[in-house]
Amino acid sequence: MRKIAPIATFLSVSFGLSWLIALPLWFGVGEGPASPIFLVFALAMMFTPAIAALVVVFFVEKHPDGLSRRRALGLGSVRPVGRFLRYLALALVVPPALILAALLVGAAVGVYPADFVNFSGFQEMVDAQLAALGQAPLPVPIVLLVAAQFVNVLIGSIINTIPALGEELGWRGWLLPKLLPLGIVPAILISGVIWGLWHAPLILLGYNYVDAPGWLALTAMVGMTIVIGAVFSWLRIRSASVWPAALAHGAFNAAAGFSLVFVMAGETFSPLEATILGWTGWLVPLALVIVLLATGQFRAPAPRDSALPAESASIAGAE
């Protein structure tokens, strides 16, 4: 019962607050997922897992000092610094790479109409936006604007890390180590399902999967959060810190718009099939996770270096 109470409290607070924050959207506030007000509510929701984790750490587990609280949240020591920086670098590179790989796979399978040469869809979108503002088309090659998107992803990754930490402090910072005694694969699956279902207040309103039935959209979201959550879990465990997972989450969100950069003009695609949201987009991250599992890359660092709680560090190392 003592082990179940913290997790039950965490889930109750994180899910309860997310539905409470999203409730105005269900009563017609905003004009759907594309409206700015909708995104404001979505941003506010991102902090609910962190609030839930803090509630548990302070009031349920009642850690006696700041150090134990920081460790419980994945905010302990970042030493050795070299290891920490290495996984920060991977966190910045791997999620955008997976999103780009999803587009390549989708194009190869035929579910994503790509234009990787002329960027016609992106050109069409930029021209339409400028025309709506009453401005002439930009006198620069579209390829330069495409290159600028990669710079924007780098900047956006850093900016997005703060709201992403609102989620990661809960999912990978606090929850994942609590599930690791079950084994790494069950921990990844359970935390991924929880992360996906937590999105229900937005997904059921059409977020990410506009035209899909609610049950199918939520199922697809859970599929995506399992495979991507596994990658974030790898960064969390190997770095012994929540920060690489938070940066990876920020980079993932920043790079999500790549699907609009490389689409062919006049074409559409289903997020159930294409991009990182669809099944073809899960193939590369799933393959990566399988390789990481097979090569023992989900083992926690040596106990003397680990900021994970001792109970989970030993289990993660056993696999």
Side-chain angles (χ1 to χ4, degrees):
M1 182 63 68
R2 291 180 61 186
K3 292 184 178 181
I4 295 175
I7 293 179
T9 302
F10 171 80
L11 295 178
S12 298
V13 174
S14 57
F15 276 69
L17 286 178
S18 69
W19 276 99
L20 184 62
I21 290 173
L23 197 59
L25 298 174
W26 282 79
F27 283 97
V29 174
E31 298 177 356
S35 68
I37 191 65
F38 192 99
L39 298 179
V40 170
F41 282 95
L43 181 64
M45 267 184 60
M46 292 181 71
F47 291 93
T48 60
I51 294 172
L54 290 171
V55 167
V56 170
V57 165
F58 277 90
F59 302 108
V60 180
E61 295 177 329
K62 298 180 180 179
H63 290 268
D65 54 66
L67 179 60
S68 64
R69 288 192 288 268
R70 289 195 299 272
R71 284 181 173 174
L73 294 168
L75 296 172
S77 173
V78 298
R79 296 179 180 178
V81 175
R83 181 189 68 197
F84 179 69
L85 294 178
R86 182 167 66 252
Y87 283 100
L88 281 180
L90 287 170
L92 201 57
V93 172
V94 171
L98 293 177
I99 287 175
L100 290 173
L103 302 183
L104 291 171
V105 173
V109 174
V111 297
Y112 177 72
D115 184 354
F116 295 120
V117 177
N118 298 313
F119 316 109
S120 57
F122 187 51
Q123 178 78 70
E124 184 179 67
M125 182 181 69
V126 171
D127 289 345
Q129 290 175 344
L130 292 174
L133 297 173
Q135 300 180 14
L138 290 178
V140 295
I142 189 63
V143 67
L144 293 181
L145 293 182
V146 171
Q149 300 312 303
F150 287 86
V151 178
N152 289 341
V153 167
L154 175 61
I155 297 172
S157 299
I158 297 171
I159 295 173
N160 289 345
T161 297
I162 298 304
L165 184 64
E167 288 194 44
E168 292 304 318
L169 206 62
W171 308 138
R172 258 64 62 175
W174 184 86
L175 179 62
L176 180 67
K178 295 298 179 183
L179 298 175
L180 282 176
L182 301 175
I184 185 60
V185 173
I188 288 173
L189 290 174
I190 294 171
S191 61
V193 170
I194 290 171
W195 183 27
L197 293 178
W198 171 85
H199 288 85
L202 302 182
I203 298 298
L204 296 178
L205 287 174
Y207 188 64
N208 283 343
Y209 306 93
V210 178
D211 298 322
W215 68 268
L216 183 57
L218 193 57
T219 301
M221 189 66 185
V222 168
M224 190 274 289
T225 53
I226 288 174
V227 293
I228 297 302
V231 176
F232 294 174
S233 296
W234 162 62
L235 293 168
R236 162 69 170 104
I237 292 170
R238 294 298 295 171
S239 67
S241 172
V242 73
W243 283 108
L247 180 60
H249 196 149
F252 182 83
N253 289 349
F258 275 148
S259 61
L260 301 178
V261 174
F262 298 105
V263 71
M264 185 176 293
E267 298 289 342
T268 59
F269 56 88
S270 169
L272 291 171
E273 298 178 324
T275 78
I276 200 69
L277 295 172
W279 68 267
T280 60
W282 308 340
L283 299 178
V284 173
L286 181 59
L288 173 62
V289 171
I290 292 173
V291 170
L292 291 173
L293 284 169
T295 55
Q297 292 302 305
F298 278 90
R299 291 190 178 94
R304 63 184 178 84
D305 294 330
S306 179
L308 287 170
E311 62 176 359
S312 58
S314 60
I315 295 295
E319 288 194 279

